[in-house]
Amino acid sequence: MNNEELRDKRREFLKASALVAGGIMLNQFAFAGGHSSTDDTIKIALIGCGDRGTGAAFQALSTKQNLKLVAMADAFEDRLNSSYQKLSERFKDKVDVPQDRRFVGFDGYAKAIALADVVLLVTPPGFRPMHFEEAVKQGKHVFMEKPVAVDAPGIRKVLAAAELAKQKKLNVLVGLQRRYQANYRETLKRIEDGAIGDIVGGQVYWNSGGVWVKKRQPNQTEMEYQMRNWYYFNWLCGDHIVEQHVHNIDIANWVKNAYPVSIQGTGSRAWRTGKDYGEIYDNHAVELTYADGAVIYSQCRHYEGTANRVDETFQGTKGRTYLSAGHNGVLWDSKGKQIFNHPTKGNANPYQTEHDELFEAISKGQFKFQDAERAAKSCFTAIIGRYATYSGQVIKWDDALKADNSLFPDQLSWDANPKLMPDANGLYPIPTPGKTKVI
């Protein structure tokens, strides 16, 4: 197929993807403002302009396809402006976002999505379900960061949109980047082929010193403060077991080729106890029980000055494996003999590989990526882990998925209050096992 035929196929693919479900009317915004439908430019919109959003746009614009950033949206003008400056300086000819295509506020996402062929959804994860739903409704291909939701209602919304995306043949890739890292891919191929037999147990970890904190500033409303310091509020983040440790939990589900039927565990606030840390725990230890009886142990913590560990290890009936984003993928047989070792040295950057593969598929008119359902279920595994540690109960998957326990505010505006508010001392209610109800 020559270049002109590829361009024709891509144009037809993008047009077909923009059809409204249940009809055949082309979305009027699918090719608005930025280029003629006769060229091969793929237009992208960035929804969420923080550091990770800027990084995702950088990786998209670094692919070999002809991409152009045509719209940006963020709740905060300063974040949008900072991101625009960085991206326009680095990609002068690929950034075309005049002032009237920079959308600030809670509702700008829909306007930005309308102007693009592909959208990058990189806001705090509490907003992901409604942003993903809107992108699919408008017929857009999607890259979205993990996690894809923070509670059961959000997961149900993502699963419904994922099904619609399949019907519309929209590519959806989720930033669980270990799925796109060579040492994981090569090791998992061999596990799936039976190299170490059936997986009967395992351990996954994300133990580290934690992440940033944003101090409360004078004259901030409660809504602005929580959104600036979003990592420490569950309606925005989901707790670090969801926002961060989901990477390792996703590997457990990948290795098992299944999702847990029940989860139990424990957690607390032992190190990060001040008012700057909102409501979340700083440690979680949970057991993921699968239908075949296998149990995988999951541990994450945010303690400074302690030993760090971020990796995964599993035991099978014929051997064992060790995996790490920064180290090798290794397999041993039942006698301890190494049978496979894939080093990370020389591997492509998986954050870049995600975008390389997504935009290659789109440019060729291929329907290749359906990550949303799988990612939603791994995110829900982590969410149930939080439900288990907060409540002290054994939580069953099917019961949790039915829960009507949305954390999202009833109203989105700068002077509206989130559901969780501080007391007179500026401290937030902390979940108490045995008392806290989660579902």
Side-chain angles (χ1 to χ4, degrees):
M1 186 177 293
N2 61 35
N3 289 339
E4 184 58 35
E5 289 172 329
L6 279 174
R7 284 195 292 269
D8 289 343
K9 186 175 182 181
R10 188 199 71 82
R11 287 195 294 268
E12 291 305 314
F13 182 50
L14 291 174
K15 288 179 180 178
S17 300
L19 296 181
V20 176
I24 57 172
M25 183 174 65
L26 186 66
N27 186 311
Q28 63 179 320
F29 297 110
F31 296 93
H35 77 284
S36 164
S37 62
T38 61
D39 69 26
D40 65 347
T41 303
I42 300 173
K43 295 183 296 183
I44 63 173
L46 175 60
I47 315 301
C49 302
D51 290 342
R52 184 65 202 106
T54 304
F58 185 102
Q59 285 138 11
L61 295 171
S62 296
T63 64
K64 64 182 180 180
Q65 281 70 41
N66 184 10
L67 270 61
K68 184 162 286 189
L69 179 63
V70 300
M72 301 173 72
D74 197 281
F76 296 105
E77 186 173 15
D78 61 309
R79 288 200 308 214
L80 192 156
N81 289 341
S82 175
S83 179
Y84 172 77
Q85 181 177 355
K86 292 173 183 176
L87 292 169
S88 59
E89 288 175 355
R90 175 61 179 82
F91 300 99
K92 182 177 180 181
D93 297 329
K94 292 188 173 185
V95 176
D96 178 19
V97 191
Q99 194 65 49
D100 63 351
R101 286 193 247 132
R102 302 177 208 170
F103 302 99
V104 175
F106 290 107
D107 60 354
Y109 69 97
K111 299 171 185 176
I113 288 170
L115 298 170
D117 304 314
V118 185
V119 295
L120 313 179
L121 303 180
V122 208
T123 61
F127 291 96
R128 196 89 71 244
M130 70 178 188
H131 291 174
F132 178 51
E133 181 181 59
E134 180 66 22
V136 172
K137 177 183 176 182
Q138 292 197 32
K140 312 299 182 175
H141 303 282
V142 174
F143 169 84
M144 60 178 171
E145 261 300 345
K146 57 76 211 167
V148 300
V150 300
D151 54 28
I155 289 293
R156 292 197 299 269
K157 183 173 288 190
V158 170
L159 289 172
E163 184 59 34
L164 183 57
K166 290 180 187 178
Q167 295 173 20
K168 291 188 172 187
K169 297 190 183 306
L170 300 172
N171 284 294
V172 181
L173 191 149
V174 177
L176 290 164
Q177 77 278 351
R178 284 164 173 75
R179 297 269 184 167
Y180 296 87
Q181 185 164 332
N183 60 314
Y184 280 87
R185 283 176 159 180
E186 292 302 319
T187 306
L188 263 292
K189 282 180 185 177
R190 288 156 177 82
I191 293 173
E192 289 165 354
D193 288 341
I196 60 173
D198 296 331
I199 302 300
V200 295
Q203 301 79 37
V204 298
Y205 302 90
W206 194 305
N207 293 339
S208 68
V211 299
W212 48 264
V213 175
K214 303 292 185 184
K215 298 284 187 180
R216 189 185 292 271
Q217 300 300 312
N219 301 319
Q220 280 184 329
T221 66
E222 184 63 27
M223 181 68 75
E224 179 177 356
Y225 169 67
Q226 290 194 19
M227 287 186 60
R228 293 282 190 182
N229 199 34
W230 62 267
Y231 207 92
Y232 301 96
F233 297 96
N234 284 323
W235 76 272
L236 290 160
C237 166
D239 205 316
H240 65 101
I241 189 174
V242 177
E243 200 283 331
Q244 189 177 63
H245 189 41
V246 66
H247 284 296
N248 317 99
I249 289 172
D250 181 55
I251 299 304
N253 291 338
W254 188 9
V255 168
K256 282 297 297 175
N257 192 29
Y259 303 95
V261 295
S262 68
I263 298 176
Q264 70 89 27
T266 188
S268 68
R269 284 164 67 102
W271 198 94
R272 293 190 159 205
T273 58
K275 63 181 68 175
D276 292 335
Y277 304 115
E279 64 179 315
I280 72 171
Y281 280 4
D282 57 22
N283 68 95
H284 302 262
V286 304
E287 292 178 345
L288 314 176
T289 300
Y290 294 80
D292 63 359
V295 176
I296 292 177
Y297 176 71
S298 155
Q299 184 182 104
C300 60
R301 69 170 181 243
H302 280 179
Y303 296 171
E304 292 186 9
T306 61
N308 292 346
R309 182 172 184 179
V310 183
D311 57 24
E312 306 88 22
T313 183
F314 303 94
Q315 297 79 48
T317 54
K318 294 166 53 179
R320 59 190 174 89
T321 185
Y322 173 81
L323 294 150
S324 171
H327 299 281
N328 299 12
V330 187
L331 297 170
W332 296 271
D333 66 17
S334 60
K335 296 182 179 181
K337 179 183 177 182
Q338 188 177 109
I339 56 177
F340 177 74
N341 188 331
H342 192 289
T344 56
K345 185 177 181 180
N347 285 352
N349 181 342
Y351 292 92
Q352 187 60 51
T353 300
E354 294 173 329
H355 293 268
D356 289 344
E357 294 187 6
L358 173 63
F359 286 101
E360 180 181 21
I362 292 171
S363 72
K364 292 180 177 179
Q366 297 172 341
F367 174 45
K368 186 176 179 181
F369 295 98
Q370 304 175 56
D371 285 3
E373 179 180 352
R374 180 188 72 206
K377 290 181 178 179
S378 280
C379 291
F380 195 50
T381 306
I383 290 168
I384 298 175
R386 186 188 78 227
Y387 290 166
T389 60
Y390 281 11
S391 68
Q393 306 300 319
V394 177
I395 306 295
K396 294 182 178 180
W397 180 284
D398 291 342
D399 293 339
L401 191 57
K402 299 173 185 175
D404 184 17
N405 58 351
S406 175
L407 302 175
F408 207 74
D410 295 326
Q411 180 183 352
L412 282 178
S413 67
W414 294 121
D415 57 356
N417 287 329
K419 291 181 178 179
L420 186 82
M421 295 292 290
D423 64 18
N425 297 314
L427 295 170
Y428 294 88
I430 307 303
T432 303
K435 296 182 179 180
T436 296
K437 303 295 184 182
V438 293
I439 63 172

